[in-house]
C-alpha cells in the first residue's frame, strides 16, 4: 500500500482520546521523523500566553475547533522547517476537509504527497474512560493514564519530575462536545483518504504495544 523507502509523510487520525499522541510519540522515535501535534503546539502557546495561545484557548476550552486559517498557517510554517525534509507524523491535523485540501496543496508545492493516514478506531465509552483518567506533563507533554499507563511515582512525570495535570478540556461536558465536533467535522476525512487509497485502518482498543506493533507492520517497519 505504501510507496516504501525511508521518507514517510504520515497523518494519525482518530477521535479525542483514541491514542493518537501515545502512538505518535512511539512511531516518531521508531521511524525517526518529527511528531507534530497541533494540540501540543496550541497548549504550549496557551502556557506562554502568546497571541496565538490566547486566540486558540477561546475555542479549545469549549471543545470547538480553532479556525482553519489559523491552524493551516501554523502547520504550513511548521512543516516548512528543516527537520521535516525527511518526513513527519502529523497528529491532530488535518481535522476538516478544508484542512486536508490545504495540506495536499502545501505538499504538492513541494512535490510531495502523504504516504499514509493511520485511522485509529475506538468506541465512545472507551474514550470517556481514557480521557477521564488521563494525566499529562505540563512541561514535556508526556501522557499517562492512571490505570493503564501510570507514572512510576504517583502524580509526577517520570521524565521531568514535576506534578502531572488533568487537561482543562478533559472535563466530561467538554469531552462530549469534542466528540460531537469530531463526528461532524473530522470523521468525513475517513472517506476523503479512503478515496485516495492511503487510509490505514487500525483497531485502537487493546494494549498500547500491540497497537503500535500492528501499525508498524502495515507500514512495513515491523
Ligand atoms: P488535541 O490535543 O489534538 O486533542 P484530541 O484530538 O482531542 O486528542 P487527545 O490529545 O485528547 O487524545 P489522543 O488521541 O492524542 O489520545 P492520547 O494518546 O492522549 O487537540 C486539542 C484541541 O486543540 C482540539 O479540541 C481543538 O480545539 C484544537 N485543535 C487541535 N488541532 C486542531 C486542528 N487541526 N484544527 C482545529 N483545532 C485544532 O490517549 C488518551 C489517554 O488514553 C491517555 O491517558 C493514554 O495514556 C491512554 N491510552 C492511549 N492508548 C491506550 C490504550 N491502547 N489502552 C489504554 N489506554 C490508552
Amino acid at each position: 500500500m505504501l510507496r516504501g523507502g525511508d521518507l514517510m509523510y504520515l497523518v494519525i487520525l482518530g477521535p479525542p482520546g483514541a491514542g493518537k499522541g501515545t502512538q505518535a510519540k512511539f512511531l516518531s522515535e521508531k521511524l525517526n521523523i518529527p511528531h507534530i501535534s497541533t494540540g501540543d503546539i496550541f497548549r504550549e502557546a496557551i502556557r506562554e500566553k502568546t497571541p496565538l495561545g490566547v486566540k486558540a484557548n477561546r475555542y479549545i476550552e469549549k471543545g470547538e475547533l480553532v479556525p482553519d486559517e489559523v491552524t493551516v498557517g501554523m502547520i504550513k510554517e511548521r512543516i516548512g522547517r528543516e527537520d521535516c525534509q525527511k518526513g513527519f507524523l502529523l497528529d491532530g491535523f488535518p481535522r476538516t476537509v478544508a484542512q486536508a485540501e490545504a495540506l495536499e496543496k502545501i505538499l504538492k508545492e513541494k512535490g510531495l504527497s502523504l504516504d499514509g493516514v493511520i485511522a485509529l478506531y475506538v468506541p465512545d465509552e472507551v474514550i470517556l474512560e481514557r480521557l477521564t483518567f488521563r494525566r499529562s506533563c505540563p512541561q514535556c507533554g508526556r501522557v499517562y493514564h492512571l490505570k493503564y499507563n501510570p507514572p512510576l511515582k504517583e502524580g509526577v512525570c517520570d521524565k521531568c519530575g514535576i506534578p502531572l495535570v488533568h487537561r482543562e478540556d478533559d472535563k466530561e461536558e467538554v469531552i462530549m462536545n469534542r466528540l460531537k465536533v469530531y463526528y461532524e467535522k473530522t470523521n468525513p476525512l475517513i472517506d476523503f483518504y479512503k478515496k485516495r487509497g492511503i487510509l490505514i485502518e487500525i483497531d485502537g482498543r487493546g494494549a498500547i504495544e500491540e497497537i503500535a506493533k500492528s501499525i508498524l507492520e502495515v507500514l512495513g517497519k515491523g
Side-chain angles (χ1 to χ4, degrees), residues 3-4 11 41 43 47-48 53 68 70 107-108 114 125 128 131 134 144-145 154 157 175 186 191 198 204 208 221:
R3 278 191 303 218
V11 164
I41 299 174
R43 278 184 290 278
R47 272 197 304 278
E48 290 176 0
D68 287 342
V70 176
L107 291 176
K108 200 170 170 203
L114 289 175
E125 61 276 12
L128 211 56
L131 295 183
R134 169 165 62 184
Y144 301 86
H145 188 280
E154 200 185 322
C157 177
I175 297 174
T186 310
D191 269 349
I198 53 170
I208 292 172
K221 304 279 177 184

Side-chain angles (χ1 to χ4, degrees), residues 53-71:
V54 173
K55 184 163 190 187
N57 198 36
R58 279 187 229 134
Y59 299 92
I60 293 177
E61 65 186 2
K62 292 189 230 137
E64 297 294 332
L65 296 184
V66 178
D68 287 342
E69 61 274 19
V70 176
T71 315

Side-chain angles (χ1 to χ4, degrees), residues 128-169:
L128 211 56
E129 205 220 7
R130 286 195 185 171
L131 295 183
T132 316
F133 291 100
R134 169 165 62 184
R135 297 293 179 273
S136 45
C137 174
Q139 192 159 301
C140 71
R142 195 158 168 180
V143 169
Y144 301 86
H145 188 280
L146 297 184
K147 285 192 199 168
Y148 306 122
N149 183 21
L152 297 171
K153 191 175 162 210
E154 200 185 322
V156 172
C157 177
D158 294 349
K159 191 172 159 219
C160 308
I162 62 168
L164 300 174
V165 295
H166 191 202
R167 263 170 52 176
E168 281 292 314
D169 60 346

Side-chain angles (χ1 to χ4, degrees), residues 16-17 20-22 38 43 64 66 92 95 99 134 144 178 206:
K20 301 182 294 296
T22 302
T38 38
R43 278 184 290 278
E64 297 294 332
V66 178
R95 249 178 160 96
Q99 289 182 13
R134 169 165 62 184
Y144 301 86
R178 284 162 64 199

